[in-house]
Amino acid sequence: MREIDYSQYFWQDEEIRLRAIQDADWEGHYFNRFDTPARRLLECTVELPPTIADM
């Protein structure tokens, strides 16, 4: 596998580089879905509670 050239990568700066969601991130993503006030403000909607199967 060749090395990735991050020099033109849009989602980074000197301190932070965003990466894609990975399988190991499911638990944090699952618990963040319970933050209803923040999700309502960001998406202008109320969601049903998440399920582990969705993750």
Side-chain angles (χ1 to χ4, degrees):
M1 184 175 195
R2 66 185 181 133
E3 190 169 327
I4 298 171
D5 176 16
Y6 288 109
S7 64
Q8 300 297 315
Y9 188 59
F10 182 78
W11 297 104
Q12 74 175 357
D13 64 14
E14 291 78 31
E15 298 180 24
I16 296 173
R17 179 184 301 147
L18 298 182
R19 64 170 175 77
I21 295 172
Q22 299 174 353
D23 290 341
D25 300 329
W26 78 269
E27 189 172 7
H29 183 68
Y30 174 74
F31 285 110
N32 283 337
R33 299 269 319 262
F34 286 99
D35 190 357
T36 302
R39 294 186 71 80
R40 192 177 320 136
L41 287 171
L42 288 171
E43 300 177 11
C44 299
T45 185
V46 176
E47 299 178 340
L48 297 174
T51 65
I52 291 175
D54 287 340
M55 299 302 116

